Every structure is written in structure tokens, then in C-alpha cells.
């Protein structure tokens, strides 16, 4: 793939993500974007809930779920198409999309934010196009930063991981979820956080995260696995697992 971002500007991919965020649950798995937000909110455990950042927000469900409890949530994604869709969903109060079924066949779907209990939360979100490796200076003073299925799609994840502490308040949380699907289409092998041999020994992404985040964060609890299913067509699904880790920013 010459330009990985082209994948996310594709109408079919957009419809798949709208189904992933707002559509039905498939094969017995819960809605992943909602589960991710709930895991982050549970981890807050009494911490401040003023400002949150959902980086790599895709079509916005996790951003909206966080806004149930936060005063303000910024959703940022590299794809302008995804960001435009987020804004349309908030403005219209509903997600509308043509869900791929088979070949050229599609079924037209509509999901209302009110039916999902998100209409009021939608008043506390803002969506922006941005690069996780090169965020503007305005993105700071967050009590929570959530990166869902993001780090293995960045061209230089170390840039994100080694500077994100600058945007989080002391004792605030960084929540990372990723299937660690390292692909050179997205991330040069030299930039992989883990998933390779180092000095002849397996070096996992969790090992890499610990190394990169250790100067400014401590890991809370043990990693856990969150399943997710992306429906491609009526007969084809991606069934994956994302490892969730929660990091607390150390006081300066």
C-alpha cells in the first residue's frame, strides 16, 4: 500500500468502521469502542474528569462514551474523512451508512445517538484532524489520554509514546489498547515498539512500552485482553484481541 492513509479514506472502510462503532455486536463480542471507554473510566477511580483526549478516534464512539463522564473530550484522527463523519454524526444526531453485504450489495443502516444514550454527551465533544506523532500545542492538560488500536498504525510510535506525558496532568492516565499488529505498510520495522528479537531474545511490545514510558509513567495492574470484531461483509469478519494497558503519569 503506497499510502496507508488512503485505506481510511475509502467509503467501504468508513462504513465498516461505522458498523464497528455504532452497529450490531457480532459473534458474542461486546461493542469494543464502548468497552474501551468503560475500561478507561473505571481505571480513573476518583481522578479528575475535566478533559480527555481520544487519539486515533476513528468515527467517534469512544470519544462520545468518554463524554458521558468528562466535561470535555477531544477526538483526534489522522483521517479527514473519519473526522468529517464524526462531526456529521454529532450534528445530525445519528450515524447513517451503507453496510457492505455481498459484492455490490449493501444495506442502509441508521443509528441514533439518542437511542444509544449519547445525545447529551455529544454536546461535550470536539473532533479534529491531527497527527498523533505531531500534535499541536493546544492538546494538553488532560486527565486522560486514550489511544485505542493506534500505536501499531503510527509511522513513528516512539514520537507519540515519548512525548505524550507533556499533555497529561500529574497522576492522570494514559490508556493504550493495541493488537500489536506490526506491519511495514504502516510502521518501518526499525520503528516497531516490539515484536522482534533483541539480543537474541523475544522483545514484546509490552517490553517496549515499559522502556519508553518508564521515565514518566507507572503501569497500573496487569495487561488485559479486549476482543473486537470488525464486520467486513455479511460473511467475512475480523476477530482480533487488543491488549489494554493503563499507565499513571508520575508527578513531576
Amino acid at each position: 500500500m503506497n499510502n496507508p492513509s488512503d485505506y481510511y479514506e475509502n467509503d467501504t472502510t468508513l462504513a465498516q468502521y461505522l458498523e464497528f462503532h455504532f452497529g450490531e455486536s457480532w459473534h458474542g463480542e461486546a461493542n469494543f469502542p464502548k468497552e474501551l471507554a468503560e475500561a478507561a473510566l473505571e481505571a480513573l477511580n476518583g481522578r479528575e474528569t475535566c478533559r480527555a483526549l481520544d487519539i486515533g478516534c476513528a468515527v467517534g464512539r469512544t470519544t462520545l462514551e468518554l463524554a458521558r463522564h468528562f466535561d470535555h473530550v477531544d477526538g483526534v484522527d489522522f483521517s479527514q474523512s473519519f473526522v468529517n463523519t464524526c462531526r456529521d454524526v454529532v450534528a445530525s444526531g445519528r450515524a447513517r451508512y451503507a453496510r457492505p453485504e455481498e459484492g455490490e450489495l449493501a444495506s442502509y443502516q441508521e443509528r441514533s445517538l439518542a437511542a444509544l444514550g449519547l445525545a447529551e454527551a455529544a454536546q461535550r465533544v470536539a473532533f479534529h484532524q491531527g497527527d498523533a506523532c505531531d500534535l499541536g500545542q493546544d492538546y494538553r492538560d488532560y486527565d486522560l489520554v486514550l489511544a485505542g488500536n493506534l500505536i501499531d498504525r503510527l509511522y513513528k510510535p516512539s514520537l507519540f509514546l515519548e512525548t505524550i506525558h507533556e499533555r497529561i496532568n500529574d497522576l492522570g492516565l494514559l490508556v493504550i489498547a493495541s493488537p500489536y499488529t506490526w506491519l511495514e505498510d504502516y510502521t518501518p520495522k526499525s520503528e516497531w515498539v516490539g515484536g522482534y528479537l533483541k539480543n537474541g531474545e523475544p522483545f514484546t511490545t509490552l517490553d517496549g512500552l515499559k522502556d519508553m514510558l518508564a521515565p514518566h509513567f507507572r503501569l497500573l495492574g496487569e495487561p488485559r485482553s479486549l476482543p473486537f470484531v470488525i464486520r467486513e461483509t455479511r460473511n467475512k469478519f475480523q476477530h482480533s484481541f487488543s491488549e489494554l494497558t493503563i499507565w499513571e503519569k508520575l508527578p513531576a
Side-chain angles (χ1 to χ4, degrees):
M1 189 180 299
N2 293 329
N3 184 359
S5 66
D6 290 346
Y7 171 79
Y8 297 103
E9 307 303 323
N10 178 288
D11 286 347
T12 299
T13 303
L14 180 60
Q16 289 170 357
Y17 270 78
L18 282 163
E19 176 68 17
F20 181 43
H21 280 233
F22 297 103
E24 300 173 47
S25 295
W26 299 99
H27 298 287
E29 303 294 13
N31 181 286
F32 176 79
K34 185 174 189 289
E35 289 283 295
L36 188 54
E38 289 177 352
L41 291 165
E42 181 182 348
L44 284 167
N45 194 26
R47 291 175 176 82
E48 292 291 324
T49 54
C50 295
R51 285 167 48 80
L53 171 65
D54 180 15
I55 181 76
C57 66
V59 293
R61 177 69 181 269
T62 303
T63 313
L64 290 161
E65 293 288 347
L66 291 174
R68 291 179 187 270
H69 299 279
F70 274 86
D71 297 338
H72 177 81
V73 185
D74 287 313
V76 174
D77 201 274
F78 191 72
S79 165
Q80 187 65 59
S81 176
F82 279 7
V83 171
N84 291 344
T85 298
C86 291
R87 292 170 177 169
D88 289 345
V89 168
V90 168
S92 66
R94 60 196 66 244
R96 298 187 185 93
Y97 54 99
R99 187 173 74 187
E101 297 296 343
E102 176 186 329
E104 295 180 343
L105 304 178
S107 63
Y108 292 91
Q109 305 290 322
E110 183 172 306
R111 305 283 189 271
S112 84
L113 295 184
L116 297 171
L118 293 169
E120 199 250 341
Q123 300 171 33
R124 295 190 293 277
V125 300
F127 291 101
H128 320 268
Q129 193 277 332
D131 181 348
C133 299
D134 188 25
L135 283 173
Q137 291 303 306
D138 292 343
Y139 299 103
R140 56 180 60 254
D141 301 323
Y142 292 108
D143 301 304
L144 169 73
V145 171
L146 189 152
N149 292 357
L150 172 76
I151 61 168
D152 58 354
R153 290 295 179 266
L154 299 179
Y155 58 87
K156 195 174 178 65
S158 60
L159 269 179
F160 170 74
L161 293 166
E162 293 173 354
T163 60
I164 194 62
H165 67 279
E166 299 169 2
R167 305 176 187 281
I168 302 176
N169 296 327
D170 287 353
L171 303 180
L173 298 185
L174 170 64
V175 176
I176 296 174
S178 173
Y180 306 152
T181 313
W182 298 105
L183 297 169
E184 290 186 88
D185 282 352
Y186 298 96
T187 313
K189 202 165 188 176
S190 62
E191 299 295 339
W192 291 6
V193 176
Y196 54 84
L197 292 176
K198 183 175 182 180
N199 301 322
E201 296 294 328
F203 188 78
T204 69
T205 303
L206 182 60
D207 293 331
L209 288 174
K210 288 177 177 177
D211 283 358
M212 289 184 182
L213 295 175
H216 303 285
F217 293 91
R218 70 182 183 101
L219 179 63
L220 297 182
E222 292 297 315
R224 57 183 276 209
S225 186
L226 285 182
F228 65 97
V229 174
I230 294 179
R231 180 192 186 280
E232 293 189 22
T233 69
R234 181 168 59 89
N235 294 312
K236 187 182 179 194
F237 298 80
Q238 297 177 34
H239 193 173
S240 309
F241 292 83
S242 190
E243 186 166 278
L244 177 75
T245 52
I246 298 168
W247 309 80
E248 181 182 61
K249 184 185 172 185
L250 301 170

